[in-house]
Amino acid sequence: MGRQCITEVGLWLPSLRPGVEEWQQMLSSLGQLYVQGVKVDWLALDREYSREKVALPTYPFQRQRYWVESSEGSDKTTTKHPSATASSPITELLDRGDYQQLTAMLSEKESLTAVEVVQQLIHLHQKAVAQTALRDCLYHIEWQIKPLDVASEKPSQDGQWLIIGGEVTVTQKLAEQLEQKQQSCRFVKELPQDYSELLQLVQQETELPLVGIVYLNCEEVTSHEEVLSQTETTCQSLLELLQALLQDESSNPTKVWVVTAGAVALGEHPISVAQTPLWGMGKVVSLEHPELWGGLIDLEPSKDVESQMEYLITELLNPDADDQIVYRREERYVPRLVPSSPSTSKTFKAEPTGSYLITGGLGSLGLKVANWLVQQGARHLILLSRRGLTEETEAAVAALQEAGNKVSVMSADVAEITDMERVWKQIQAEEKPLKGIIHAAGVGRLDTLEELTPEVWEAVLRPKVKGGWNLHQLSSSENLDFFVCFSSIASVWGSAGQAHYAAGNQFLDGLMHYRSSLGLPGLAINWGPWAGGGMVTAEAEEWLAQTGLETLSPELAISALEYLMSADQVQVTVSQNDWSHFKAMYALKRPRPLLDLITVAAERVEAKTEQAPNLQQRLEVVAETQRSELLRQILQEEVALVLDLPITSRPNPEVGFFDMGMDSLMAVELQKRMSKLLGVNLSSTLTFDLPNIEKLEKYIIDQHLVGFFKPETDEDQQEESFLETNLLAEIEQSSDQELEGSIDQILESIID
Ligand SMILES: NC(=O)c1ccc[n+]([C@@H]2O[C@H](COP(=O)([O-])OP(=O)(O)OC[C@H]3O[C@@H](n4cnc5c(N)ncnc54)[C@H](OP(=O)(O)O)[C@@H]3O)[C@@H](O)[C@H]2O)c1
């Protein structure tokens, strides 16, 4: 109202405003006055108000960006369709306008409609492009000889060991040998009923910390019932042990070692399939709880365990970075993932006179495979699922039938032997012999080890373990051309929250090796996530992309299947990874030598530039004695930025990063920021090895800024306080003009 009445006056300064604190408003108006050149009596303003110290960035480089990032390459959630970037023989012919070659590539059918021509061209182009892209998606595990380095044998920590499972003679001998190495030992003859009680008992008996638990399962079983019962009991019991340890409050984390004999397909001896799920499970424990994890050791199955005690003891007392170890023919092997290019003998063709069974055939991948099999010449498909046809799958099956194929939908539980015996009778009653099986039935779930219940465990394992085993048993008399299991990357490098799924898939991997050793066809494909529905939801796709796991386009995945059907390999991983990101994520909590041979183009660490000075340049701005304070502040700001906290907040240097709410994606971000700051590629286990700001700071000072810090001495402190006192006295005695002059001088020196 004042403004409306007195229009000629230049500046209105409000003292009150709705929603703004009175004092804040007064200060803001005072600031405006000062900016207008009005002389302010600052000393009069300054009284004994209560004050709050606020941390401000003290140097000009650490600016936050508020620009919208360029969209180029930032959309990590969408699957890169290979054809978006690649050419194919079709595009080359189109470019050249070579219609004669193009028509020669089309179907031999005499009169194709325009739509059919376009469809065929698209199909041929996508197939050619996917085949080219395949090169970067195929991997397998190579077992490499790596002797254990015991030259630097450190005196093992005095502690107690608990040995569970295995034959009494074995456990006794292991206990004796551990005791010879000054370890205290206790063993239990049968798998315990109550692990919490056992742990309590063991810890009450002696003051020595429980440093390790050896969980033995070296027994080889082959009969139908024994395979299924051993698979179930050993995994469930290990799960109970892990859950009891996770609930145990003693501060000393115990390392769990799982020892098998023949759980890995290496050497001439057939794999012991019932032991395999322990390996899948172990890979997930290592990801979810590295602090609890010792490792997996697979002994020579053709020798008795007692004769291999020396290896076992050496591994237990001298662990290195490898947590998957296999002994064969006196050699120590470790796994390394390597790119794969299996040779193919012939191109795959299905037989119109045979029939093909797809378990999980009405699922997302099952139906895609059914369509592909028809394209390869199959005419009779058996699609199996528990629910049978549903509204969503009816149309897809009808389309296959309308194209002249016989599609039998069977409602059966692949894990129920009685259901499957019924299915087998029906298959055998048909005129067309069974020529191939695609086992794609599965249940996907995410449950951490703490959350897992025996029921959930069983629900996820049964289609894989009982289902796979039933199919193997029932088909043993059929003359199959192929038996393909849809396994997962979860059993290759683990997957947090999927101990059950990894265990089930590892069984299928093992089963295919077992079949191969019997001369039967078998192929396990460890699929990475597929795009376009099924077990991988859009939400999961987004999350996976953030971890460096890209989804496979169905065209690419189907090309991989087609290629692998005629390849000479029993187990292949098909996965599209952004390895630089995935490796960093994967090795966040402990080194992961499994991926050592996967090369990643070295990340460009930004060179020193004027806009982004490196850490040393930033520290050089201040006096030597103030550098450690500035370093701490810089680290606190880096951590605050990663945690998305205001830059002025100062995270407590002693609190662990993960306790502050840092997740694995943030930890990778911090590692990248630190690498950039120091101008070196830091290990991806950075936040695990140096779990708080204090430790990170010490590491940087000791390793990267040697001689850069002058420790503050008592004299420095005295001089500092003397200078401070003098400065205050000088300020008090100076006139306003003198002070203004000094401030101007300081500001000019900073700008210069
Ligand atoms: N999708 C991926 O990205 C991906 C990646 C790696 C591996 N895999 C593997 O590929 C396979 C297929 O995956 P998907 O994405 O197509 O999954 P999906 O869409 O969920 O299909 C799985 C099918 O399995 C059937 N099934 C489950 N338990 C069964 C049982 N006991 N007996 C008979 N049928 C059973 C289900 O039908 P009912 O409920 O009617 O029985 C369902 O239709 C799975 O084995 C999975 O582990 C998939």
Side-chain angles (χ1 to χ4, degrees), residues 625-640:
T625 51
Q626 290 167 0
R627 285 178 187 163
S628 50
E629 196 186 328
L630 179 55
L631 173 63
R632 171 154 300 189
Q633 192 179 319
I634 293 172
L635 296 182
Q636 284 175 316
E637 282 169 12
E638 291 290 333
V639 172

Side-chain angles (χ1 to χ4, degrees), residues 214-261:
V214 185
Y215 187 90
L216 288 149
N217 178 228
C218 302
E219 206 188 332
E220 188 177 359
V221 291
T222 45
S223 82
H224 180 78
E225 288 75 26
E226 279 177 327
V227 166
L228 296 183
S229 69
Q230 198 197 64
T231 306
E232 203 172 305
T233 49
T234 52
C235 281
Q236 293 277 9
S237 188
L238 178 60
L239 177 63
E240 284 165 26
L241 164 65
L242 291 162
Q243 288 181 334
L245 280 170
L246 288 167
Q247 278 166 10
D248 189 66
E249 296 195 335
S250 76
S251 57
N252 184 52
T254 308
K255 302 277 185 207
V256 177
W257 292 86
V258 173
V259 181
T260 52

Side-chain angles (χ1 to χ4, degrees), residues 1-7 12:
M1 201 164 89
R3 264 181 234 253
Q4 283 163 3
C5 299
I6 314 170
T7 50
W12 283 85

Side-chain angles (χ1 to χ4, degrees), residues 100 111 115:
Q100 279 171 330
S111 53
V115 172

Side-chain angles (χ1 to χ4, degrees), residues 522-635:
L523 167 65
I525 305 181
N526 299 96
W527 293 112
W530 286 45
M535 273 183 192
V536 182
T537 59
E539 216 181 13
E541 234 182 88
E542 195 172 320
W543 183 84
L544 288 168
Q546 287 176 23
T547 66
L549 252 178
E550 290 160 18
T551 43
L552 297 158
S553 73
E555 296 81 17
L556 179 62
I558 288 290
S559 305
L561 175 64
E562 188 171 325
Y563 174 71
L564 295 174
M565 291 291 273
S566 43
D568 56 0
Q569 221 152 306
V570 178
Q571 187 183 355
V572 184
T573 297
V574 184
S575 183
Q576 217 172 12
N577 296 41
D578 167 353
W579 284 113
S580 110
H581 203 63
F582 185 82
K583 277 180 86 167
M585 292 288 298
Y586 189 56
L588 253 180
K589 299 193 178 168
R590 77 182 264 167
R592 305 282 176 189
L594 176 72
L595 302 186
D596 274 0
L597 300 184
I598 300 289
T599 46
V600 174
E603 272 196 68
R604 196 170 58 88
V605 174
E606 267 184 44
K608 296 173 192 174
T609 63
E610 276 179 36
Q611 292 84 355
N614 71 13
L615 189 59
Q616 287 204 7
Q617 288 169 322
R618 286 166 67 172
L619 294 172
E620 271 161 5
V621 171
V622 297
E624 264 181 81
T625 51
Q626 290 167 0
R627 285 178 187 163
S628 50
E629 196 186 328
L630 179 55
L631 173 63
R632 171 154 300 189
Q633 192 179 319
I634 293 172
L635 296 182

Side-chain angles (χ1 to χ4, degrees), residues 360 362-366 384-388 412-415 440-443 462-464 486-488 501 505 527-530 533-536:
L362 297 172
S364 173
L365 272 50
L384 187 140
S385 90
R386 289 163 304 178
R387 284 170 297 167
D413 184 340
V414 70
V443 172
R462 61 194 305 282
K464 300 275 178 184
F486 274 29
S487 179
S488 156
Y501 188 65
N505 282 303
W527 293 112
W530 286 45
M535 273 183 192
V536 182

